[in-house]
Amino acid sequence: MATDGSKIGINTRLAHSGNNPRDYFGFVNPPVVHASTVLYPDAAAMASRSQKYTYGTRGTPTMDALTLAVDALEGSAGTIAVPSGLAAVTIPLLTFVSAGDHLLIVDSVYHPTRNFADTMLKRLGVEIEYYDPRIGAGIAALIKPNTTVVFTESPGSNTYEVQDIPAIVEAAHAAGAIVMMDNTWATPLYFKPLDHGVDISIHAATKYPAGHSDVLLGTVSANEACWKTLYEGFCTLGCCSGPDDVYQVLRGLRTMGVRLEHHQKSALEIAHWLEQQPGVAEVLHPALPSHPDHALWKRDFCGSSGVFSIVLKGGGQKAQHAFLDALTIFGLGYSWGGYESLAVPVFLGDRTIAKGSYAGPLIRLQIGLEDVADLKADIQRGLKAAAEA
């Protein structure tokens, strides 16, 4: 919102949220504060901790600039910044689940989230159950008296199933459980979880907010009901981010809107084109009318990002590897959201429910900021190699 109460555009909000240059002698970027120790004016202030900043792990002006900017995007009561996207998953889970609790997780979840649940959370006595990403309101049948959290991710990692988040939220809240959502794919620009009833919004800021493949960071944003508990958990675990990383993400945030728009446009053009290419059995992109969840995506989302998968028409791993090895512009590397295009093989062997029935091997594509014609030519090299494998 502008100072007069009128609504302002998203790119204006991205450019100006989080700090006031007049607070820093007119400099448009906030200072990068390297801090552990913070001094108090006297013993009484120290005893009461009555000043805003008390210790480096609990916040600095640099941290506040980023978290306030994210709050403006998420509509959240508060946000924490942590050292990685995975930390943005583990910290709220450690904060809100306890031994003996039942945790529901979507089966198309980011693999490191699954690994954390199947190893550390199970060892700590948490009961883990995975559910079908298309379950919708049917999740009510899986909720137990000890279900405390429903963990969602939409669209799902690698296979891009879209969840009916409002229906899941309604069922979870009726049973007293909270809902967390990994919203890294859409960012709060294209889907605002808290507006759809989600309690905790999780984002790997390593991806689109940072945008340059050079920094690791995660953000977790909470509604009013969950913010105090989330912040206390964050302080207890002491898992804070370094000021230089925080600053780089804040800087990346300023251009995220225009970058994401370019990712979206290029990815959609390539996805439509791939549907017509020989050797491609299926394109898994929820913004395509051919996607089984397209109507649900269109109802809840206002845009799509630059990551999707393709299914090769047969060939197995040999064809999958031939496709990848033939690429010259697409890099073979994990993560996404940076300026460069990437491709990785998709493995679904760890899933228990959402294994799908695909005509061939899957490959995930991250469409970067390169020229579309060059990316198409590179993909054609890969398809030719796969066909000949």
Side-chain angles (χ1 to χ4, degrees), residues 328-350:
T328 61
I329 295 175
F330 282 82
L332 306 187
Y334 293 101
S335 197
W336 40 271
Y339 56 85
E340 80 289 15
S341 292
L342 299 170
V344 296
V346 171
F347 173 72
L348 301 179
D350 59 343

Side-chain angles (χ1 to χ4, degrees), residues 56-351:
T57 59
R58 291 173 172 262
T60 67
T62 314
M63 179 79 76
D64 285 349
L66 175 61
T67 57
L68 289 172
V70 174
D71 283 337
L73 297 176
E74 295 273 12
S76 45
T79 293
I80 59 172
V82 295
S84 68
L86 180 56
V89 170
T90 62
I91 289 171
L93 285 174
L94 286 170
T95 298
F96 285 91
V97 298
S98 303
D101 286 352
H102 177 239
L103 169 63
L104 282 166
I105 303 177
V106 63
D107 198 42
S108 54
V109 74
Y110 172 56
H111 174 73
T113 301
R114 178 189 299 273
N115 183 61
F116 174 73
D118 288 347
T119 55
M120 187 168 290
L121 289 185
K122 281 187 177 179
R123 179 172 61 80
L124 294 176
V126 178
E127 180 187 357
I128 309 297
E129 182 176 356
Y130 294 96
Y131 66 88
D132 189 316
R134 295 189 170 107
I135 198 170
I139 201 167
L142 302 181
I143 295 176
K144 302 178 180 182
N146 61 331
T147 303
T148 53
V149 172
V150 177
F151 193 98
T152 69
E153 181 178 333
S154 184
S157 280
N158 297 323
T159 46
Y160 303 97
E161 301 92 343
V162 180
Q163 293 195 255
D164 190 340
I165 296 297
I168 290 171
V169 165
E170 183 177 1
H173 286 176
I178 69 166
V179 179
M180 300 181 183
M181 179 176 177
D182 185 333
N183 190 44
T184 301
W185 184 86
T187 82
L189 273 63
Y190 293 157
F191 184 87
K192 295 182 70 172
L194 273 61
D195 284 0
H196 291 79
V198 172
D199 301 285
I200 303 284
S201 177
I202 293 164
H203 197 81
T206 303
K207 310 300 198 280
Y208 290 117
H212 292 80
S213 304
D214 59 357
V215 64
L216 293 166
L217 200 98
T219 62
V220 189
S221 303
N223 60 17
E224 191 69 45
C226 292
W227 167 238
K228 183 180 178 181
T229 302
L230 175 66
Y231 182 71
E232 287 176 351
F234 165 71
C235 292
T236 299
L237 290 166
C239 197
C240 60
S241 302
D244 295 299
D245 293 341
V246 169
Y247 176 79
Q248 282 185 281
V249 172
L250 181 64
R251 184 174 63 176
L253 205 65
R254 304 308 186 195
T255 61
M256 184 172 72
V258 292
R259 286 186 286 104
L260 198 52
E261 186 176 352
H262 189 97
H263 286 293
Q264 172 178 228
K265 181 181 177 182
S266 297
L268 280 173
E269 181 177 339
I270 291 171
H272 281 290
W273 170 78
L274 276 165
E275 287 193 304
Q276 310 304 318
Q277 298 307 301
V280 177
E282 191 177 357
V283 181
L284 306 178
H285 191 314
L288 295 179
S290 60
H291 192 280
D293 303 326
H294 177 69
L296 193 57
W297 171 84
K298 195 172 182 179
R299 184 194 75 183
D300 292 344
F301 290 73
C302 61
S304 60
S305 64
V307 191
F308 63 93
S309 291
I310 61 172
V311 182
L312 296 181
K313 197 170 288 184
Q317 189 183 71
K318 185 178 179 182
Q320 185 189 57
H321 285 191
F323 178 98
L324 294 167
D325 290 341
L327 300 173
T328 61
I329 295 175
F330 282 82
L332 306 187
Y334 293 101
S335 197
W336 40 271
Y339 56 85
E340 80 289 15
S341 292
L342 299 170
V344 296
V346 171
F347 173 72
L348 301 179
D350 59 343
R351 295 190 179 186

Side-chain angles (χ1 to χ4, degrees), residues 351-363:
R351 295 190 179 186
T352 59
I353 300 167
K355 291 179 177 291
S357 179
Y358 299 106
L362 277 67
I363 294 169

